[in-house]
Amino acid sequence: MLIPHVYVEGDTESVILEKLKLTRSAAVRRKAGGQDDINKRMIDALGPSLGVEPIRCLLMRNLDSHGGETVEGIRSGVEQALRIMFDERGFSSQNVSLIAHDKHDNVCAFQAADPNVKVALHIATYRCLGHFIKSTVDDYVLNLALRYGTVESFLRENRSRNWNIGVETLINEVRREIPSLLQKNGIPQLREARDYVRLYAAVLQMDTSPPVFAERTMAHAREGDIREVFAPLLAAAQFLSDDPVTS
Amino acid sequence: MDRFRKFNLLVGPNNSGKSAVLEAIYLAGTSDRAARITDRQKLLSYDGQTSDNDLLGHHPMIRILDRHKYDAPSLHAILNDGAQVQFIDSSTPLRDYDISYAPMSDRIMPDQDKVLAVFKLEARDDSSYTNPKEAYDQLAQQIFGEDISLSDGYKLIYCWLPSLTYYGSDSAAWLVEGRLAPSRHTLLYDVSTTLGHPPMNFFRRMIKTVPGWTQKIAGHFSQVFNLPGKFNVQFLPSDQEQKWAQGWIAPEDRIALTVDSYGDGARAVFKALTLLIALSELAREDAPGLFIWEKPELFQNPQTLGRLLAEVGALMKDRPIQLFIETQSLEVIANFTALVRQGEIESDDLMAFRLGLEDGNLSSSWFNADNLTAWLEEGLDPRVWGDFKSPPHFSLRE
């Protein structure tokens, strides 16, 4: 089932979702602005359908710990927005509650039979490197891009350019040597996965746009690695699906 | 349906009840003429109201029947030279009742009370009853078939014309809450209004009532069509009996032409503005206006439509007029949403309703200005249920 309503903060999420075949690009709404703006846009869009048509909605949010955001704060904001929507439309909001997934603590979900609603919230909590100040979907992309299989595939593509660097060497270059060089020359550490993604793309002499890099990474990564890295997102999508679980 | 606002858009699939809702509002708004309903068996009488002429002087029931090309059946016997009707249909809840009524304010056609088929009942301080609240509520419950109280502010409208009811079931009743416009300030505008002419009586009334009426028409018409040069608007009889008034556009540098010579779009704009300008001048807080408009998008190029709706918004600004529109046009919805965004219409003054009709049950979902903005910016279509993939992809400009 393709998820009909998806709310994200950036373009990279759209690419990931399409590559995972979870939604169509037309269903993905990117809303710049703060948490309140995204939640308001969600209930403005979903409200008229409440009680009229089944609602299946995925929200993908970043976690800006540096900016004071918490998982609980994000969860609570979405829950409150859903309650407002229920109240406005004449439904009881008493049982509206986002419950944590039993396997992925960065995924929480709500469902009701009448009105027919399922909402899943995926919060990017993974930090690819410990010193990052926020967690975004780029952390997951970076994780995937630094997997042995993905790097091997990147390098295989560049053999025609006579690259003879090894997989482990390249990984080490990106993760340690180049950042260390920058620091030795007085340039502070890169603080977000997005910056590392741009650096990595530049090293590979690729388009440095994070969404484009995400698309290339997904194309080169092994299926097993993709499923492992994006397991929480896939779990959120599975919750929204009305199809029976087969694996 | 509730949450009606100043600007109300009814959208939805074909045969979802949009026109029926408009007609129900129109019949409620034009039930202004004093009437009394009497139970022949118990000799109990109740004050109420029945249909009176609308803004244009049309009999509402004749107007509705004409829209559907229905004949007026014989539902009741007229007694006492048309001043009293008696129900003869044994299936109607009012079969044991008579209705008597005051004469119609402006009789355009003879025997128009033979198509009397609406009665409005509301709570009254009727001194002929010890407990008027209970008495009127009992009658209302008998008609409506459910436990209701008129003291809660409801007005009960009862229509006993089977051809206007769902699958010809004998009668229909509906409740309206809030302040209704008087019938003389209520207008139903549809394609027949565009193709026809206003009555000469209406023209004479407006010339004597609305200062600068024809100049205002010219000004607003010019805004919609960006016409260069100056022109006047005049009205002349269109027929030998001088019953109908036809608008003329008289430019400064050319001969005058009838507005009907200008094409369907222009005459639709002209007639809508003519009537709305009149209504905007007549409406007062204690006698507001009700403009019911079917498909304003008919005959209109998107540019003209946008300017027309902007003029409508301007004419209604700060005026006690309520507008109900039935539309199939995404552009109408988008234009009103844009007018809110531009600050020309207050956000709280706009509401859209998507209707659905299944097995005679009406359902509706409301869209306030924020909902409409979200939907239109995301390329979603408020007019349809379910996942509909329109050939063109659209999005409201952010």
Side-chain angles (χ1 to χ4, degrees):
Chain A
M1 182 204 84
L2 295 178
I3 307 169
H5 298 282
V6 182
Y7 291 87
V8 303
E9 294 188 57
D11 293 330
T12 303
E13 288 90 328
S14 304
V15 170
I16 301 297
L17 289 164
E18 274 191 85
K19 285 294 176 189
L20 291 173
K21 295 186 173 56
L22 297 180
T23 192
R24 297 190 312 262
S25 61
V28 182
R29 287 101 197 194
R30 182 178 168 275
K31 185 64 181 169
Q35 166 176 225
D36 292 339
D37 289 333
I38 296 170
N39 292 339
K40 174 96 176 36
R41 172 49 62 102
M42 176 190 67
I43 64 175
D44 283 342
L46 299 183
S49 297
L50 192 65
V52 174
E53 303 166 315
I55 290 177
R56 301 289 181 265
C57 177
L58 171 68
L59 290 103
M60 292 181 69
R61 298 292 311 280
N62 300 328
L63 180 63
D64 185 1
S65 313
H66 189 70
E69 278 190 335
T70 62
V71 168
E72 176 52 29
I74 294 173
R75 189 202 66 79
S76 172
V78 173
E79 191 175 89
Q80 185 59 23
L82 291 173
R83 288 200 176 131
I84 289 171
M85 182 174 77
F86 268 60
D87 287 337
E88 271 184 354
R89 296 284 160 175
F91 293 98
S92 169
S93 60
Q94 205 175 358
N95 296 325
V96 174
S97 179
L98 282 161
I99 309 293
H101 192 280
D102 55 0
K103 291 199 180 88
H104 305 283
D105 56 13
N106 64 323
V107 173
C108 47
F110 162 71
Q111 67 174 331
D114 183 24
N116 188 336
V117 182
K118 284 188 183 180
V119 176
L121 169 64
H122 174 281
I123 304 172
T125 53
Y126 170 69
R127 282 192 218 172
C128 196
L129 295 177
H131 66 270
F132 285 167
I133 60 170
K134 56 164 67 168
S135 309
T136 69
V137 74
D138 294 302
D139 286 81
Y140 297 79
V141 172
L142 187 60
N143 180 337
L144 190 62
L146 289 171
R147 295 266 171 136
Y148 191 97
T150 315
V151 179
E152 192 177 49
S153 182
F154 278 146
L155 289 177
R156 203 179 309 125
E157 194 177 63
N158 284 298
R159 287 287 176 242
S160 60
R161 295 200 240 170
N162 293 320
W163 287 26
N164 51 21
I165 188 171
V167 171
E168 294 291 353
T169 309
L170 179 59
I171 291 173
N172 194 51
E173 293 271 351
V174 173
R175 285 195 71 144
R176 292 176 199 87
E177 292 207 23
I178 297 174
S180 173
L181 179 66
L182 294 173
Q183 268 195 292
K184 278 184 193 155
N185 284 277
I187 297 170
Q189 278 185 321
L190 302 176
R191 301 195 302 169
E192 297 181 34
R194 187 176 53 182
D195 298 326
Y196 262 87
V197 158
R198 291 193 175 112
L199 173 75
Y200 191 170
V203 167
L204 290 173
Q205 297 178 18
M206 230 189 242
D207 189 319
T208 57
S209 150
V212 173
F213 184 76
E215 193 172 3
R216 301 298 310 279
T217 300
M218 297 287 279
H220 285 274
R222 290 176 182 162
E223 183 69 23
D225 286 336
I226 292 173
R227 295 213 158 269
E228 188 184 316
V229 167
F230 290 107
L233 183 57
L234 290 168
Q238 179 59 47
F239 168 80
L240 294 174
S241 167
D242 293 318
D243 299 330
V245 178
T246 53
S247 62
Chain B
M1 292 174 70
D2 59 4
R3 294 173 186 261
F4 288 147
R5 296 286 188 269
K6 190 176 176 74
F7 298 90
N8 303 279
L9 310 179
L10 304 188
V11 301
N14 293 99
N15 198 35
S16 57
K18 302 185 296 296
S19 293
V21 170
L22 293 191
E23 289 176 1
I25 294 170
Y26 175 63
L27 289 174
T30 49
S31 297
D32 243 5
R33 185 159 46 125
R36 194 150 175 86
I37 191 165
T38 302
D39 184 335
R40 285 195 300 278
Q41 314 266 339
K42 297 176 187 167
L43 297 178
L44 295 171
S45 292
Y46 307 82
D47 286 322
Q49 288 164 306
T50 189
S51 300
D52 203 354
N53 292 332
D54 67 9
L55 175 73
L56 282 169
H58 292 312
H59 187 302
M61 194 49 71
I62 294 176
R63 183 86 172 79
I64 298 285
L65 289 173
D66 197 49
R67 272 162 57 85
H68 298 278
K69 301 299 177 210
Y70 291 152
D71 290 326
S74 299
L75 295 171
H76 40 253
I78 302 284
L79 304 174
N80 297 341
D81 296 323
Q84 187 173 357
V85 299
Q86 182 180 21
F87 288 91
I88 56 175
D89 183 351
S90 60
S91 63
T92 173
L94 298 184
R95 59 184 169 276
D96 297 323
Y97 288 76
D98 291 342
I99 294 181
S100 58
Y101 47 87
M104 211 149 193
S105 41
D106 283 313
R107 286 179 185 259
I108 293 177
M109 295 165 53
D111 299 328
Q112 54 190 1
D113 279 334
K114 283 187 178 168
V115 294
L116 186 78
V118 168
F119 188 83
K120 186 173 79 182
L121 190 70
E122 56 188 303
R124 283 177 190 270
D125 203 10
D126 190 338
S127 56
S128 55
Y129 291 95
T130 315
N131 190 342
K133 174 186 174 320
E134 189 181 315
Y136 277 69
D137 281 351
Q138 267 181 356
L139 178 60
Q141 285 160 26
Q142 180 185 339
I143 294 172
F144 197 66
E146 283 177 28
D147 192 14
I148 55 166
S149 174
L150 299 177
S151 306
D152 292 338
Y154 292 117
K155 300 166 187 52
L156 172 66
I157 320 297
Y158 177 65
C159 173
W160 57 89
L161 195 56
S163 52
L164 294 183
T165 61
Y166 183 67
Y167 275 98
S169 50
D170 49 44
S171 56
W174 57 100
L175 297 171
V176 174
E177 192 180 13
R179 189 169 48 128
L180 284 168
S183 58
R184 65 189 184 282
H185 291 176
T186 299
L187 173 68
L188 173 60
Y189 189 101
D190 61 7
V191 65
S192 67
T193 324
T194 297
L195 300 177
H197 303 299
M200 189 56 85
N201 282 345
F202 170 78
F203 165 71
R204 291 195 190 101
R205 257 189 301 134
M206 293 306 113
I207 282 291
K208 292 181 205 169
T209 312
V210 180
W213 180 48
T214 55
Q215 287 91 330
K216 291 183 171 86
I217 296 169
H220 286 282
F221 186 75
S222 177
Q223 285 288 107
V224 174
F225 284 101
N226 279 339
L227 296 176
K230 293 182 186 172
F231 63 95
N232 290 331
V233 162
Q234 296 166 4
F235 287 88
L236 296 171
S238 68
D239 57 316
Q240 285 211 334
E241 291 102 359
Q242 301 200 5
K243 282 169 61 178
W244 310 102
Q246 186 171 31
W248 287 69
I249 306 284
E252 193 179 39
D253 54 351
R254 292 189 212 179
I255 61 167
L257 288 177
T258 68
V259 70
D260 299 280
S261 308
Y262 277 78
D264 291 332
R267 64 175 167 167
V269 168
F270 182 91
K271 289 173 190 182
L273 289 176
T274 294
L275 300 176
L276 184 55
I277 289 166
L279 192 57
S280 73
E281 295 286 329
L282 295 172
R284 305 188 311 268
E285 284 302 325
D286 61 336
L290 179 59
F291 189 25
I292 301 164
W293 197 357
E294 215 173 45
K295 296 187 179 62
E297 66 269 21
L298 279 179
F299 313 121
Q300 301 307 334
N301 173 278
Q303 282 181 312
T304 314
L305 180 63
R307 289 194 287 260
L308 171 62
L309 296 179
E311 289 301 298
V312 168
L315 281 165
M316 287 181 57
K317 197 179 179 74
D318 300 326
R319 303 300 300 137
I321 302 175
Q322 193 173 22
L323 174 66
F324 286 86
I325 279 178
E326 182 258 294
T327 184
Q328 295 284 21
S329 166
L330 201 54
E331 279 160 340
V332 167
I333 304 169
N335 271 291
F336 274 103
T337 307
L339 286 172
V340 169
R341 186 187 276 174
Q342 292 156 15
E344 302 298 331
I345 291 178
E346 295 290 332
S347 175
D348 286 343
D349 281 346
L350 177 64
M351 193 68 79
F353 300 86
R354 184 175 57 182
L355 303 190
L357 188 64
E358 195 171 334
D359 295 329
N361 292 310
L362 180 73
S363 58
S364 68
S365 181
W366 55 265
F367 293 70
N368 61 21
D370 287 343
N371 297 133
L372 289 173
T373 301
W375 275 60
L376 294 175
E377 282 181 358
E378 293 180 13
L380 299 172
D381 192 337
R383 300 170 300 172
V384 299
W385 305 94
D387 190 18
F388 169 64
K389 290 181 189 51
S390 163
H393 177 74
F394 65 90
S395 172
L396 191 70
R397 292 173 198 275
E398 293 194 49

